[in-house]
Amino acid sequence: MINGVKRQIPDDLKAFEKSDAFKKIKRRLINKKEKQSQTVFFDNIEKAFDHFKIVSGQCLSFHHHLRNGDKVIEMVAHEIENRNLINMHLAPSSIFPNYTKLVDLIKNKNVTNIHTNYINGPVADTVSQGYLDGKLIMNTHGGRARAIESGDLKIDVAFLACPVVDRNGNGTGAFGKTACGTLGYAISDLEYARYVVLVTDTLVDELEDYQFDGTYVDAVVVVDSIGDSDGIVSGTTQLTKDPIGLKIAKDCALLLDELDMIKENMSMQTGAGKTSLAVVKYVKDIMKQKNIIGSFASGGITKSYVEMLNEGLFRELYDVQCFDLDAVESYHKNRNHKAMSASEYGNPFEKNPVCNKLDFVILGATEIDLDFNVNVTTDSLGNLIGGSGGHADIAFGAKVTIIISPLIKSRIPIIKERVTTVTTPGSDVDILITERGIAINPIRQELIEILKNSDFPLFTINELFDLSHRITGVPREVGHESKIVGYVEYRDGTIIDCIYQVKRFQ
Amino acid sequence: MFRSLLFIPGNNPSMIQNADVFPADGVIFDLEDSVDIKEKDNARNLIGNYLTETSTYPSMVVLRVNQVDTEFFEKDLGLLATGKIDYILLPKAGVDSLGILEEKLVEYEKQYDLSEIKVLALVESAKAIIEVFKIAKHKRVEGILLGAEDLCNDLEIGRSDEGTEILFARSRVIYACASNNIVSIDTPNTSISDEAHLRKDCLNAKNLGMKAKSAIHPNQLEIINEIFSPSKKDIEWAKDVIKLAEDNIGKGAFSYKGKMIDKPLILKAEKIIEIAKQFKIS
Amino acid sequence: MKIGIAGSKESNDCLVTVKESKTTNIIIDSIVAAFFYDQIKAVIEETLKELNIENVTVVVEDKGALDYTIKSRLVSAIKRMEKSV
């Protein structure tokens, strides 16, 4: 059948209708896990596998707060291999380039199904090439929380990396040798997995402040090291020096000002890319100039937001994951730098998730199409290179959603007639800002009305599409193999698009 | 009219394909100092094909050719055939080299049926600073760009942050241009990441009387445009003065905020409004 | 053997190598081949035709260059080949 963004979806699946369709549906909740009186301690993963009798076909989950420095998922992967478990279902909140062990497990059918919110690197390539026997389900951050609490994604054992754990099984990421800040993506796993195992390298007697409540924790595995701190920080703390990126960022800030979005009590979220950081700087300049104090910034938090909090430009930060050590430190010390869980952040069924309180969000895109649908899941060849993360959640929640991107990247135009894969529906995307012009979604006539007499270079998205083709030539349609390797699941659990095996070139 | 001119190296496709995107009032495609001597042919080809084939080129196109006494000079001028070049920027400009360029331009204008090609003179030697009034009088010359790096090499002196060593040269260029009603263009600032220094340098040049500045990196343009545009305060003043002048027609002079306003100040106000309009500043 | 090289492997540029050969061969290695292979090939063929050049091997290592850049590099490489000994 054809879904609400004109995509062909297998008939036996729930097809995406529209982004607010969840409002007609009642929240489903399975029981939270029974609280434990006793937490057991092990000194290796093997013992946890024995204790919880982990067998083939089960679902194991993970969070990605240690990002490219994570060692826990590799430990578990080795144990799966050693025991020759097959048909395992893994549900890490993201998959990073260095989780390479999973490549073998997928090829050898130890792992046959995956739920995740973001996937990049060798594992992504392996799935794109068709090696995963079952399916890859790409969730949003809020959608993953919904899937877990509703029992759509049933987790047998959650292996949760935790930088510091105490004797009662309470845990925190705020400090320690692998400090990563908040552990927001793992809260649903903690509360709803059948068994919860914390994996740590730092055991203390008693924590006063903790994010993981020990009463949910069945076991703690104490190992030498859960991660490399070098890989934990994302690295992007410098704002772009690229003149094209700076121009886009500047135009973005000026446009926000023209739309009167930079005002008292404002709230915002941006990505952590170099151009987004430049937007934050320009917005900050305008806030200072106009003496504006915002209510909050949210998301993955970076140093630039920490500075704004410290300078009194925002009253609070809501942080689901810390992107750099400044954010970790601030989360540890500043009461107004608050943790939020993925559910509080973006679950459509939460009463008032943070994403719904946002005034504006600045997001990237690998492709955008004439209907304003955005792809951040695959590249234009169909290779998996990312995923929604919070993209679709905040695009839905925010009053104004702005996509910033160069019109042309290495000869490849960003605007397509149809995106290769739909991550975020065009109905939730309002403005595209490129170095060669700005397009506003025609469903947002009130924005067009405000801007039509301004000096901004406004075009229709079709005009920008034609302009990019005049510069690059018309790119050939690449196509894909017929095999479906996975689905992009919208935050409400419906299927917004299929992910296909990439075409083999001779 | 222009405030900012951006140099783009002639052999750099990444920069060239975005030449029209940067907020420069004009773009100088450079075939001279930023192009290695072995790559002159390659750069000339690239700029030629770019100008011929692209529909997205800057609204003001300047070509910096090689010096008149090089084997490249005439071939560089051959790019006039594209019909897209508004100005030639002549390096090591002097009365003699302008004469040679003049002859060639007459020839090419005829050959390619072009409207008059304008010239910006790059003065970058002690001799050129001395004859700058003659250069400014040349009928094709619409602007003079001071090249401080080469000038200081010629003088065997170094550059300073304050720029006192080029005060004389700057002043010569400014007076030569102002007295001939052409545009004085300041030397580029070579420190591309020190915004505070760029700002100081721009203010210094503007306060002396420079009307525009060249840039060697796109990220310098925002500050240059800001400083070489009338400020919000200037524009408000100009609007008030013009309004009062209309209300006081027939009176020779009137007072505004405790200061006497007469004809020269009204003309100044009109000029500010004209510039603001052109650069869409309100 | 006569050979000419022009361009670079910087982004949005391409490195073109032209060599004398018994027949005309065009070899394209491009980061955007999936989208623009045919268009790159057409630019090379048209340029060779324009310049009346036959029996050369053209190797293009492309980092996303636009057509006019590819054409410019090819023309420079051919001229350099003709000058080489």
Side-chain angles (χ1 to χ4, degrees):
Chain A
M1 78 196 106
I2 303 290
N3 73 5
V5 284
K6 301 183 219 162
R7 296 289 159 146
Q8 180 74 40
I9 305 293
D11 288 340
D12 55 337
L13 297 175
K14 279 185 287 180
F16 170 83
E17 185 194 334
K18 51 185 184 161
S19 58
D20 62 356
F22 71 89
K23 289 180 178 167
K24 297 178 294 192
I25 296 165
K26 254 188 85 179
R27 185 177 194 174
R28 287 179 293 130
L29 291 171
I30 58 171
N31 291 329
K32 283 195 182 173
K33 78 185 294 278
E34 301 242 330
K35 300 205 173 186
Q36 303 298 309
S37 52
Q38 273 291 309
T39 304
V40 288
F41 286 77
F42 302 115
D43 57 8
N44 63 41
I45 287 278
E46 206 182 326
K47 288 177 184 157
F49 266 65
D50 288 337
H51 186 82
F52 296 108
K53 299 187 175 64
I54 294 172
V55 295
S56 290
Q58 287 192 328
C59 177
L60 309 181
S61 82
F62 310 85
H63 66 69
H64 71 276
H65 286 280
L66 302 184
R67 285 190 286 271
N68 229 4
D70 186 287
K71 289 183 183 168
V72 172
I73 195 161
E74 294 278 292
M75 277 177 222
V76 172
H78 276 286
E79 198 53 34
I80 291 172
E81 188 179 49
N82 291 343
R83 289 167 186 250
N84 200 22
L85 302 179
I86 54 163
N87 292 327
M88 298 302 288
H89 177 182
L90 298 192
S93 49
S94 292
I95 295 176
F96 276 72
N98 76 339
Y99 303 177
T100 49
K101 190 68 211 157
L102 298 185
V103 171
D104 302 335
L105 296 194
I106 289 167
K107 288 186 171 170
N108 297 331
K109 314 225 186 302
N110 300 99
V111 171
T112 49
N113 282 287
I114 295 174
H115 268 73
T116 195
N117 309 346
Y118 176 95
I119 185 168
N120 190 2
V123 185
D125 296 342
T126 305
V127 176
S128 288
Q129 286 154 15
Y131 288 104
L132 187 70
D133 213 36
K135 290 284 183 287
L136 169 77
I137 306 296
M138 295 296 294
N139 291 109
T140 73
H141 285 328
R144 182 175 187 272
R146 179 212 56 77
I148 293 172
E149 70 174 24
S150 66
D152 287 356
L153 172 57
K154 282 198 185 66
I155 300 166
D156 291 298
V157 184
F159 284 95
L160 305 180
C162 190
V164 183
V165 178
D166 73 11
R167 297 277 169 202
N168 300 313
N170 300 316
T172 182
F175 61 97
K177 58 186 174 190
T178 42
C180 60
T182 105
L183 299 163
Y185 295 128
I187 303 301
S188 301
D189 307 57
L190 181 78
E191 292 177 346
Y192 291 99
R194 194 150 62 91
Y195 297 115
V196 172
V197 179
L198 301 191
V199 185
T200 189
D201 51 21
T202 306
L203 194 63
V204 297
D205 273 344
E206 194 174 349
L207 284 168
E208 271 181 41
D209 275 323
Y210 47 84
Q211 198 178 4
F212 285 167
D213 179 347
T215 58
Y216 291 112
V217 176
D218 299 279
V220 176
V221 177
V222 184
V223 296
D224 289 342
S225 168
I226 59 169
D228 290 324
S229 46
D230 285 352
I232 296 171
V233 289
S234 68
T236 324
T237 53
Q238 287 285 315
L239 54 94
T240 186
K241 288 200 169 77
D242 167 40
I244 299 293
L246 283 173
K247 180 184 160 76
I248 292 169
K250 176 95 188 180
D251 282 352
C252 181
L254 292 175
L255 189 88
L256 286 164
D257 197 27
E258 183 81 21
L259 291 170
D260 200 25
M261 308 277 323
I262 302 179
K263 57 169 192 255
E264 202 62 19
N265 289 324
M266 60 180 263
S267 54
M268 68 183 282
Q269 182 168 337
T270 55
K274 289 182 169 202
T275 311
S276 291
L277 291 177
V279 176
V280 175
K281 183 211 168 247
Y282 288 126
V283 168
K284 179 179 174 178
D285 289 347
I286 296 172
M287 288 174 78
K288 275 176 148 174
Q289 220 175 63
K290 296 188 157 182
N291 273 323
I292 282 164
I293 297 171
S295 79
F296 74 90
S298 61
I301 293 296
T302 52
K303 181 183 177 182
S304 40
Y305 283 118
V306 169
E307 286 172 355
M308 290 172 83
L309 179 70
N310 292 337
E311 288 171 44
L313 293 168
F314 282 113
R315 290 194 191 86
E316 291 176 317
L317 300 180
Y318 291 115
D319 192 351
V320 69
Q321 79 165 326
C322 302
F323 274 126
D324 50 43
L325 293 176
D326 295 83
V328 174
E329 173 95 1
S330 164
Y331 164 65
H332 185 34
K333 299 202 167 139
N334 192 334
R335 294 253 152 221
N336 296 320
H337 185 149
K338 294 177 174 163
M340 63 176 171
S341 69
S343 190
E344 290 161 343
Y345 170 35
N347 181 349
F349 292 104
E350 284 278 347
K351 271 203 192 77
N352 198 5
V354 169
C355 69
N356 287 8
K357 297 180 217 168
L358 281 162
D359 289 332
F360 62 87
V361 295
I362 314 298
L363 295 167
T366 50
E367 296 177 331
I368 183 167
D369 67 22
L370 298 178
D371 294 328
F372 283 81
N373 296 315
V374 170
N375 173 19
V376 289
T377 304
T378 63
D379 65 15
S380 297
L381 290 168
N383 292 297
L384 287 155
I385 45 108
S388 171
H391 201 286
D393 297 317
I394 58 177
F396 173 80
K399 292 187 189 80
V400 174
T401 298
I402 299 176
I403 302 294
I404 52 172
S405 172
L407 187 65
I408 296 159
K409 294 181 194 166
S410 298
R411 197 173 180 168
I412 300 174
I414 181 152
I415 305 174
K416 307 278 163 179
E417 208 168 332
R418 283 162 61 87
V419 285
T420 308
T421 310
V422 180
T423 312
T424 297
S427 58
D428 289 341
V429 175
D430 304 314
I431 300 173
L432 167 68
I433 301 180
T434 75
E435 77 282 21
R436 291 185 179 274
I438 296 169
I440 299 173
N441 193 331
I443 61 174
R444 297 300 302 267
Q445 278 301 321
E446 75 281 17
L447 297 178
I448 295 174
E449 203 54 36
I450 298 171
L451 294 170
K452 72 177 183 197
N453 294 322
S454 69
D455 285 334
F456 289 99
L458 297 190
F459 297 90
T460 66
I461 197 157
N462 293 66
E463 285 169 340
L464 287 181
F465 174 75
D466 292 342
L467 171 65
S468 66
H469 284 191
R470 276 210 301 284
I471 295 169
T472 66
V474 180
R476 187 171 62 181
E477 290 293 327
V478 175
H480 50 70
E481 301 291 327
S482 58
K483 180 180 174 180
I484 293 177
V485 300
Y487 301 105
V488 182
E489 192 176 286
Y490 190 63
R491 55 204 298 264
D492 63 1
T494 60
I495 302 304
I496 193 162
D497 209 348
C498 302
I499 302 164
Y500 294 90
Q501 183 181 336
V502 290
K503 200 155 183 172
R504 282 179 292 249
F505 286 96
Q506 273 78 43
Chain B
M1 217 184 307
F2 51 86
R3 300 159 295 184
S4 53
L5 295 178
L6 173 66
F7 278 99
I8 287 187
N11 204 28
N12 183 334
S14 285
M15 292 280 285
I16 291 165
Q17 73 188 51
N18 285 314
D20 61 316
V21 168
F22 305 125
D25 294 332
V27 170
I28 303 168
F29 293 100
D30 184 25
L31 298 177
E32 199 215 8
D33 282 354
S34 69
V35 178
D36 188 276
I37 191 133
K38 292 190 200 111
E39 296 294 332
K40 298 286 184 190
D41 56 336
N42 217 353
R44 194 185 308 117
N45 252 330
L46 181 61
I47 298 296
N49 280 313
Y50 161 76
L51 290 175
T52 308
E53 295 193 9
T54 186
S55 58
T56 51
Y57 55 89
S59 55
M60 171 180 166
V61 174
V62 184
L63 182 71
R64 175 157 80 170
V65 295
N66 286 282
Q67 291 177 43
V68 292
D69 55 358
T70 62
E71 56 178 303
F72 313 116
F73 171 69
E74 278 200 44
K75 291 179 188 161
D76 292 348
L77 284 180
L79 294 191
L80 289 169
T82 62
K84 303 271 177 64
I85 294 164
D86 304 302
Y87 292 84
I88 294 294
L89 174 62
L90 182 67
K92 292 273 159 29
V95 174
D96 296 343
S97 58
L98 270 173
I100 296 170
L101 176 64
E102 170 67 26
E103 260 177 51
K104 288 290 159 200
L105 288 180
V106 171
E107 206 176 285
Y108 282 109
E109 279 165 2
K110 211 167 169 188
Q111 186 178 342
Y112 301 126
D113 193 22
L114 301 168
S115 52
E116 196 186 53
I117 304 296
K118 295 166 269 187
V119 170
L120 303 178
L122 176 51
V123 293
E124 45 189 344
S125 68
K127 185 164 182 274
I129 296 300
I130 294 308
E131 56 185 34
V132 70
F133 285 83
K134 283 187 194 157
I135 294 171
K137 277 203 169 63
H138 194 283
K139 64 178 175 26
R140 277 193 199 262
V141 174
E142 297 224 336
I144 296 180
L145 170 56
L146 174 63
E149 299 304 316
D150 278 7
L151 174 64
C152 287
N153 284 343
D154 196 17
L155 297 171
E156 296 176 20
I157 56 173
R159 295 291 317 275
S160 72
D161 279 356
E162 299 74 31
T164 38
E165 72 284 358
I166 56 167
L167 178 60
F168 177 73
R170 269 178 167 162
S171 302
R172 294 271 305 175
V173 169
I174 290 162
Y175 282 74
C177 290
S179 59
N180 286 285
N181 205 19
I182 60 174
V183 185
S184 51
I185 311 156
D186 198 38
T187 186
N189 187 304
T190 50
S191 61
I192 52 174
S193 52
D194 187 348
E195 288 193 2
H197 183 245
L198 173 63
R199 189 170 280 278
K200 219 172 113 188
D201 189 34
C202 287
L203 276 171
N204 198 358
K206 177 180 164 143
N207 290 338
L208 288 171
M210 284 285 181
K211 294 291 178 268
K213 191 171 173 78
S214 52
I216 52 163
H217 193 284
N219 293 353
Q220 297 179 322
L221 293 166
E222 199 183 312
I223 289 173
I224 294 175
N225 284 342
E226 179 199 318
I227 290 175
F228 287 90
S229 302
S231 69
K232 279 205 160 101
K233 222 172 115 191
D234 292 342
I235 295 169
E236 261 168 47
W237 173 86
K239 279 181 180 163
D240 287 351
V241 165
I242 288 169
K243 173 135 200 328
L244 273 177
E246 283 164 4
D247 295 346
N248 289 285
I249 290 172
K251 293 186 191 170
F254 52 89
S255 96
Y256 171 66
K257 289 192 178 166
K259 290 196 175 153
M260 282 309 286
I261 304 287
D262 55 5
K263 186 98 189 284
L265 284 175
I266 295 169
L267 288 177
K268 181 184 169 189
E270 283 169 355
K271 184 82 188 166
I272 288 171
I273 296 298
E274 186 196 327
I275 295 171
K277 253 189 200 152
Q278 165 155 1
F279 296 121
K280 295 182 179 169
I281 310 161
S282 50
Chain C
M1 185 176 50
K2 287 195 165 196
I3 183 165
I5 302 174
S8 77
K9 291 192 195 174
E10 301 286 318
S11 57
N12 303 307
D13 202 350
C14 61
L15 187 68
V16 177
T17 310
V18 185
K19 278 182 256 185
E20 281 183 324
S21 122
K22 288 201 175 105
T23 55
T24 296
N25 306 298
I26 298 171
I27 300 160
I28 297 165
D29 174 16
S30 168
I31 57 165
V32 295
F35 308 101
F36 292 108
Y37 181 90
D38 296 340
Q39 199 172 322
I40 295 169
K41 193 157 185 228
V43 169
I44 294 166
E45 286 170 345
E46 279 164 30
T47 308
L48 291 177
K49 209 171 154 193
E50 244 172 66
L51 299 174
N52 237 333
I53 302 281
E54 280 177 344
N55 300 336
V56 286
T57 293
V58 179
V59 179
V60 180
E61 294 161 88
D62 172 50
K63 303 290 174 192
L66 298 176
D67 283 354
Y68 63 78
T69 303
I70 297 169
K71 183 176 175 181
S72 305
R73 297 326 191 187
L74 177 58
V75 170
S76 295
I78 289 169
K79 287 192 177 155
R80 287 174 182 188
M81 178 186 75
E82 286 169 343
K83 275 190 202 158
S84 78
V85 261

